[in-house]
Each structure stands twice: as structure tokens, then as C-alpha cells.
Amino acid sequence: MTTPPAIRIDNLVKEYAPPGPGEPPKLALKGVSFDVPQGGIFGLLGPNGAGKSTLINILAGLVNKTGGSAEIWGFDIGENPRNAKRSIGIVPQEIVFDPFFTPFEVLENQAGFYGIPRSERRSEELLRAVHLWDKKDAYARTLSGGMKRRLLIAKAMVHSPPILVLDEPTAGVDVELRRQLWELVTELNGQGVTVVLTTHYLEEAEQLCDRIAIINHGELIADKPTRELVGMAREKIVAVTVDKDLGGPIMEEAFTRAEVVEPRRLEITYDRDRTSAGQVLALVQSHGYAIEDVTTREADLEDVFVQLTGAG
Ligand code: ADP
């Protein structure tokens, strides 16, 4: 028997009311279906306005779906909202705390909200896990932005959900803090928590997620293991430095594109299924240039993204 998915999304539709009189309603999700497997880090990727937050907010019970269905840990969000909600912890995009509570109180209040008896609360364990134990008695308003985000993650884990969802966890966050958050997410996943994160940072999805779904304009356009998705980029780029100034671009049938980027430097894009780097270099040499330096760039998720969305 195969393991049931952590989340099952089936033909999910969301139509928002028209923004003004005479305007059409906004179709934010146009029948999206995919499964989030248990135990991994799943990335929901898409440009701004794609429908990511709408989807997460439907799972969180904050937005009502117009059609389709969703199950969280086997519980239908419409038929069994209580159990569905108990199975998921959501870290919102925006930081909202009562500034006069301490991190310890924030977690205790949240536990109270879920009706967790004192003896079963995990406030200390969670604060230690997000490296905030030494701040347990500080006012939330005195925490740094990074500390607040870590506190939000602890807060989402208070009721020990098997699934943690992070909505744009690193939007507007500096490099160091991003690394810390990635570490924390990886740690939690290592402890068995299924993680779902939305992001519009391709690098984040590529580094962190083992599976990625891409939505664009409310439609699912990809849902694959990260490695497979990155492998879909067929184009490769080789930059060649030659021994004398280039008279103009060298175009060959084997190249998709050739661009002179510096007087002696040429960037050639080619389809790796049809051409090899060796062939590209031989063709450049056949134009009478000696090659002094070569760098190739591996295709990454950004290339796939551009291909799939037609962006860029
Ligand atoms: P993302 O999270 O991928 O940036 P959203 O889910 O926030 O995308 O938005 C998807 C689309 O739905 C956008 O066109 C957005 O303008 C629209 N939208 C989002 N929330 C509302 C709302 N409350 N009312 C009307 N339209 C909305």
C-alpha cells in the first residue's frame, strides 16, 4: 500500500468577488490539483499574484474555496475542518504578535487556544528548538525580525501538527537570516514534519525542496521532483573568450543564440540534446579564433521557470 499524501488538493477553484462594480470576478485558482507527499519539503512556487497565498489561506481555513476539495492528513477541509486544522501549522507571511507578551507567553496562549493541558505543553522544547530559550521572558516587541520569524515557527508547532506550512518564509529577509531559517526548516523536516513552503525565490526552492509545484495565473504548470524539474532545462550556456576582438556574433545552426558580451567574449546558448560543448568550441575555432577561456553554466530552476511561464 502506498502512503497517503500529507495534503491532497483536487480541482481547487477560488473566485474572488469583483473588485468594483462592472468589473469581472477574479479567478485566483482555476482548478488546481496536486498531492503533497508525506515527509518531504514541498515547494509551491510561482510569481506574485499566481495564487499561492490563496491556496495556503484555503488550507488554513481563512479563505473559502469556490469549488473542488482539499484534504489535510486525510481530513476534508469542508467536512472535517477541526481535524484538518489540527493537522497543520501555518506560519503566516506577516508578523503579528501582541507586543506585550513574551515568547513563552505567546506559546502558552497558543496552547491554551488549542486546549492543550499544561502538562502536555511544549513551550520550552519549542523555544529551545528555534534558539529563543534565552529570550523567553523578553517582550515580543524587543525581538529582532529574525527572532520574530522563529517565534512564529514555534507558534505554528504548538499543537504538534504533522505538517508545517510557511508562506514566503524569507521574503525581505537578509542572507544570514535566510540561512538560519532554512536550517531550522531542514531540522524540523529531519524530525519527521512534512514541510510546505511558498516562495517566489527560485534558489530557495531549488536548495530546500525535494519536490516543487509551480503555479502561474491560478493554474498548475508543473509538479515534479526538484531534480527532474531542473533537468528539464535543455539549454546550456557557454561563455568563450577568444584571442582577438570579435568582428560580430558568430551564428551557427547548432546555436540557439550567440551574443558578443565583451569585445573578446561570446556567450553561446545551445540545446544540450542536439549539441555538445565540444562542438560549440570547434565551431568557434572554425571561424578563425583561438580559444583562451571557457566557462559553462548549468541550467537551473530559473531556466525551467522561464521556459514554463514564458516569462523573462
Ligand atoms: P500569490 O500569493 O501567488 O502572490 P495571491 O493568492 O495573493 O497570489 O493572489 C492571486 C490573485 O488573486 C491575484 O490576482 C490577487 O490580486 C487576487 N486576490 C488575492 N486576494 C484577493 C481578495 N481578497 N480579493 C480579490 N482578489 C484577490
Side-chain angles (χ1 to χ4, degrees), residues 16-17 26 28 46-55:
Y16 287 109
K26 175 79 207 177
N48 281 326
K52 304 180 297 294
S53 295
T54 299
L55 200 149

Side-chain angles (χ1 to χ4, degrees), residues 116-169:
I116 300 166
R118 263 174 219 288
S119 61
E120 290 169 28
R121 293 187 188 173
R122 310 168 57 201
S123 303
E124 177 171 349
E125 176 199 335
L126 286 167
L127 286 175
R128 287 190 190 279
V130 299
H131 310 292
L132 281 178
W133 181 240
D134 59 329
K135 295 282 176 193
K136 70 181 169 67
D137 296 324
Y139 284 132
R141 72 177 138 88
T142 66
L143 303 181
S144 71
M147 291 173 182
K148 284 179 186 157
R149 279 185 197 261
R150 292 193 327 248
L151 181 56
L152 278 177
I153 295 177
K155 189 179 170 197
M157 294 300 297
V158 154
H159 57 296
S160 308
I163 305 167
L164 179 67
V165 176
L166 302 111
D167 195 3
E168 295 278 358

Side-chain angles (χ1 to χ4, degrees), residues 43-53 93 149 166-173 178 182 197-206 209 212-216 301-302 305-306 309:
L44 183 60
L45 201 68
N48 281 326
K52 304 180 297 294
S53 295
Q93 232 177 78
R149 279 185 197 261
L166 302 111
D167 195 3
E168 295 278 358
T170 57
V173 157
R178 187 177 303 185
W182 287 3
L197 59 94
T198 73
T199 183
H200 61 273
Y201 293 116
L202 296 163
E203 192 206 342
E204 179 159 272
E206 193 171 344
C209 305
I212 293 175
I214 301 178
I215 56 173
N216 195 28
L301 194 53
E302 184 155 2
F305 195 77
V306 169
T309 59

